[in-house]
Amino acid sequence: MIRPRTRGLAAFVVLSASLLSAGAATAHHGVASLGVAGLAGPGAPLETSSSQTLPRAAWLACVKIDQPTFEAFTPERDGEGDRSTFMMFGLGYGVRPWLSVYAFLPFSAKTVQDNSYNTAGFTDLSFVAVAGLRWDGGPRLVPANESLDDLEDLHLTISAGTSLPTGEENLRDRDGAIDPGLSLGFGGPSWNCGLTATKVLAPRWTAVAEASVVGFTEHEYADGARVRFGRETRLNAALVARVLTRPASKLRLDVNVESNLLDLGRDETDGIGETATGGLILYGVGGVRLTKGAASLGLGWKKPVWTDLHEDSLQQGAEGKETGRLIAALSCLF
């Protein structure tokens, strides 16, 4: 049986790719983009993907940490989900000024209160391609060089990606049972696609919007169970304010607020919907991003502000039941 679980892993991959896209769509949650790496131009949020692509022949290295802790339903220290740590190691490359590609290697660690069954390790490797457009009387591919005025135009990205089942999906607990929700891989490839839009509203203000979807294929585990995880759909919006610039030291500080709406589909085992999975969650995010030269560090706090879970009283340890999520992202363009 699938336990209520954090699907943050898939979300994390998708989002990270989006954010990385120096404006990337779905997966890149919170990585430095071309605009972020500069002292002027558009800013980039922490969770919502921005809309800038990497410069041609440039590399972007990044690591992101997402650490949720969960509300407990009982006072005893039992098998309730206590906390998780998701890490994302990413490498991006600018193939063309309008086309960036990324590879991500996620790490996941899930801990229950009584430590009766904890799991940790690297999970499914994923890849994302991001195409960037600039609206100039119509959609145009992002050119090699853009002035500050050009950067203030509406920018868009389209992204698509997939994952490979490189993580171990058949982990067993002390009784020999497989819990797909606590394993390290999904057993089969997943797919994702996304759209982003970024517009500089004023010299110091940037608005960003994102829509993305992650889908999973059905997989038969070693115990014979056929599992398909529910689809994940996200609608994100963000407002970024550039509050400090120090040109002499190439330093910039941004403050951002975001809303992240997550629609989780119900998981299925042998074609039947699983109880205690899925629902709607609206997160609020507040954070800062410090940029020094081509390096960028983002820190933030994410918290559910409204939920409509399918079986609210049974979904301990899953999305929507976090007390909060610490978000940190470090990236460097070279």
Side-chain angles (χ1 to χ4, degrees):
M1 176 180 179
I2 301 175
R3 298 168 54 173
R5 64 179 188 118
T6 55
R7 299 212 235 183
L9 180 57
F12 195 47
V13 173
V14 174
L15 297 185
S16 296
S18 308
L19 286 189
L20 276 190
S21 71
T26 301
H28 326 210
H29 283 215
V31 182
S33 62
L34 178 60
V36 175
L39 296 180
L46 291 175
E47 288 284 273
T48 305
S49 302
S50 64
S51 309
Q52 294 168 271
T53 47
L54 297 174
R56 184 174 185 177
W59 292 87
L60 181 71
C62 70
V63 58
K64 186 179 180 185
I65 300 174
D66 179 348
Q67 188 164 54
T69 55
F70 297 99
E71 172 189 351
F73 286 7
T74 62
E76 298 81 15
R77 292 193 63 79
D78 48 25
E80 290 187 316
D82 184 44
R83 65 187 184 282
S84 298
T85 299
F86 301 112
M87 300 182 69
M88 178 72 70
F89 301 92
L91 188 64
Y93 181 71
V95 180
R96 294 286 187 274
W98 53 271
L99 178 64
S100 303
V101 294
Y102 300 88
F104 296 96
L105 180 60
F107 174 88
S108 168
K110 299 175 182 177
T111 305
V112 298
Q113 287 181 339
D114 60 4
N115 293 310
S116 57
Y117 182 44
N118 300 328
T119 59
F122 287 100
T123 65
D124 293 347
L125 185 65
S126 65
F127 304 92
V128 177
V130 181
L133 303 169
R134 180 166 63 94
W135 193 268
D136 183 14
R140 303 282 189 274
L141 294 175
V142 172
N145 297 301
E146 290 188 286
S147 67
L148 283 179
D149 287 342
D150 293 335
L151 288 172
E152 293 180 356
D153 290 341
L154 175 65
H155 283 66
L156 308 165
T157 61
I158 303 171
S159 68
T162 187
S163 67
L164 299 178
T166 54
E168 175 55 60
E169 80 278 20
N170 288 310
L171 293 181
R172 296 178 183 270
D173 63 17
R174 61 182 61 175
D175 297 322
I178 297 174
D179 184 341
L182 291 178
S183 290
L184 297 176
F186 292 100
S190 63
W191 57 268
N192 67 76
C193 58
L195 301 170
T196 73
T198 298
K199 180 72 176 74
V200 174
L201 302 177
R204 291 180 177 272
W205 294 87
T206 301
V208 184
E210 175 198 9
S212 64
V213 179
V214 186
F216 301 89
T217 54
E218 184 180 75
H219 175 68
E220 182 173 340
Y221 286 77
D223 59 3
R226 292 179 294 105
V227 175
R228 181 195 300 273
F229 291 102
R231 185 172 297 181
E232 304 177 0
T233 304
R234 291 174 178 76
L235 296 174
N236 297 334
L239 186 62
V240 182
R242 176 159 49 92
V243 297
L244 176 68
T245 53
R246 290 288 185 269
S249 54
K250 298 182 179 179
L251 185 77
R252 167 176 173 166
L253 179 65
D254 290 342
V255 174
N256 72 287
V257 293
E258 302 178 47
S259 66
N260 301 157
L261 179 66
L262 172 61
D263 181 5
L264 287 177
R266 193 181 287 280
D267 298 339
E268 295 180 356
T269 299
D270 299 327
I272 300 174
E274 283 281 355
T275 302
T277 60
L280 282 171
I281 306 106
L282 177 63
Y283 292 98
V285 182
V288 297
R289 179 181 292 279
L290 179 67
T291 300
K292 170 71 172 173
S296 176
L297 173 64
L299 294 172
W301 184 251
K302 180 175 180 179
K303 186 177 178 60
V305 295
W306 174 85
T307 64
D308 183 18
L309 302 179
H310 290 156
E311 287 82 29
D312 188 276
S313 63
L314 300 176
Q315 293 185 224
Q316 196 280 330
E319 279 81 357
K321 291 301 181 183
E322 306 98 328
T323 56
R325 305 176 80 104
L326 174 65
I327 307 293
L330 176 64
S331 60
C332 184
L333 189 69
F334 58 96

